[in-house]
Amino acid sequence: MKLGLNIGYSGAQMADVLPLVTLAERIGIDSVWVAEAYGSDAVTVLAYLAGRTERIELGSAILQMPARTPANTAMTAMTLDALSGGRLILGLGVSGPQVVEGWHGVAYGKPLGRTREYVEIVRRVVAREQPLTFEGDHYRIPYDGPDATGLGKPLKSIMHPVRTEIPIYLAAIGPRNVALAAEIADGWLPIFYAPEHEGAFAEHLRSGYDAGGRQPGACDVAVTVMVAAGGDVEQCRDRLRPQLALYIGGMGSRGKNFYNDLAVRYGYGQQAAAIQDAYLDGRRGDAIAAVPDELIDEVALVGPIERIVDRVGAWKASHVDTLILGTEQPEVLGALRDVIA
């Protein structure tokens, strides 16, 4: 199993985060991952890290597809890959309706079909085998809509990429999205993954592999796990409760919240409903308090280092290929590097 480091939305705090990234590279952590939502972007941070590191792989977890055309994402990926000497892992995701429509100002639409076409276009641009043309339900290149000038023509990137294939990972937790990742992606980026509940994804992974004519395991399962190390287990859990409450309770509406649905599939239906009701009613303290200890222990690593090291055994025995640590604690990196190695 490989180890990664997730530095999250760190664009404005790079002076604080860079020493951790430098340590990760020095001790042999395989990859560092950068996120974006509706604040700092991931591309700028990845470009900065490309110039400050030499070996560690650089992953986006994730770039939001609605924020960029597929051709623009391909340009960005090729540039980052060149700047880093072929170290980019391109993690992509749709995000949710609130961000897609409320921040980027574009229609949420049909994310499955759009994702399939998006990935194909990115791969064609990077492969640079011929001028880009595409005729799909969501993208038509050259554009030929009713307001087109008619002057568009197929183009081939004037940049020769370092690699003609850049690995593409897809963020997914919904059943059909998970199946799509297994069908077409090089890697899968699930959130709030729990080794004890791998069965919740098994059917969807299997159907995706079958649809793509691929062998099980062809898709790298790259999981970010939140880590809170300290002597008091309950205090460590409390450090993570707000984020779980935010996602399960506030990242979506009552009728459409992928993270709430995941908690239900894990067997926490009653608790998930209570968290969501409290959060959407403005009672965030109650929502945070309603996050069960058992769920935190299943999806995160909490407590003394010895307890965390012991718990990693469940992850090593799981189907996870890359364990990405969401932590700001240097001691966690060293301890788990030793265990995984």
Side-chain angles (χ1 to χ4, degrees):
M1 187 165 65
K2 293 183 178 181
L3 268 183
L5 167 67
N6 193 319
I7 60 173
Y9 313 121
S10 56
Q13 293 85 34
M14 281 309 301
D16 298 328
V17 174
L18 184 60
L20 191 65
V21 176
T22 303
L23 171 65
E25 179 168 65
R26 186 169 69 248
I27 67 176
I29 301 298
D30 297 284
S31 55
V32 58
W33 299 76
V34 179
E36 66 180 19
Y38 40 95
S40 63
D41 78 294
V43 173
T44 308
V45 178
L46 287 169
Y48 176 80
L49 292 179
R52 299 299 296 264
T53 58
E54 297 178 356
R55 178 202 58 80
I56 197 166
E57 291 187 298
L58 307 173
S60 57
I62 46 86
L63 294 191
Q64 297 175 71
M65 289 185 284
R68 304 167 180 88
T69 67
N72 180 263
T73 291
M75 292 167 59
T76 299
M78 290 189 295
T79 306
L80 286 172
D81 207 45
L83 288 173
S84 64
R87 291 185 282 143
L88 179 68
I89 302 173
L90 180 59
L92 300 173
V94 176
S95 192
Q98 287 182 320
V99 174
V100 173
E101 298 183 355
W103 181 251
H104 296 301
V106 297
Y108 185 67
K110 299 179 179 179
L112 281 172
R114 188 179 295 273
T115 297
R116 184 184 296 277
E117 293 185 11
Y118 198 103
V119 170
E120 176 61 26
I121 294 168
V122 170
R123 284 181 169 149
R124 289 190 190 184
V125 173
V126 174
R128 204 177 173 275
E129 294 176 348
Q130 57 190 11
L132 177 63
T133 61
F134 192 87
E135 295 185 8
D137 295 329
H138 303 276
Y139 298 100
R140 297 184 65 85
I141 304 172
Y143 177 69
D144 61 356
D147 56 344
T149 64
L151 300 176
K153 66 177 183 178
L155 299 172
K156 183 191 291 187
S157 170
I158 59 175
M159 176 181 179
H160 291 256
V162 172
R163 295 182 290 173
T164 55
E165 294 183 4
I166 295 173
I168 295 178
Y169 287 35
L170 290 178
I173 55 173
R176 292 188 297 168
N177 282 333
V178 171
L180 181 65
E183 179 186 350
I184 69 172
D186 300 296
W188 170 41
L189 294 165
I191 191 172
F192 304 138
Y193 192 92
E196 287 80 8
H197 298 293
E198 288 188 316
F201 301 108
E203 176 187 349
H204 316 302
L205 288 170
R206 184 168 55 250
S207 67
Y209 287 134
D210 289 345
R214 310 171 79 188
Q215 293 297 315
C219 191
D220 179 42
V221 180
V223 176
T224 291
V225 56
M226 298 181 295
V227 186
D232 189 310
V233 175
E234 189 60 22
Q235 288 182 1
C236 290
R237 290 190 185 114
D238 288 344
R239 284 156 53 188
L240 303 182
R241 285 184 210 279
Q243 184 173 3
L244 280 161
L246 168 63
Y247 277 80
I248 295 172
M251 285 290 195
S253 63
R254 281 188 171 86
K256 200 174 190 67
N257 182 318
F258 306 120
Y259 313 102
N260 191 282
D261 293 344
L262 182 64
V264 172
R265 284 154 56 198
Y266 282 177
Y268 294 96
Q270 183 175 352
Q271 296 93 327
I275 294 167
Q276 187 176 65
D277 286 343
Y279 207 98
L280 296 181
D281 289 344
R283 296 179 287 110
R284 296 191 179 184
D286 292 340
I288 292 169
V291 176
D293 292 348
E294 296 80 8
L295 177 59
I296 298 172
D297 288 343
E298 287 172 352
V299 303
L301 296 169
V302 295
I305 290 293
E306 303 78 29
R307 185 180 191 269
I308 289 174
V309 167
D310 182 66
R311 172 62 180 160
V312 165
W315 294 88
K316 292 178 68 175
S318 73
H319 292 102
V320 173
D321 301 298
T322 301
L323 190 64
I324 305 169
L325 307 174
T327 183
E328 299 176 354
Q329 298 175 272
E331 64 271 23
V332 168
L333 295 182
L336 295 190
R337 187 282 313 270
D338 292 342
V339 171
I340 300 301

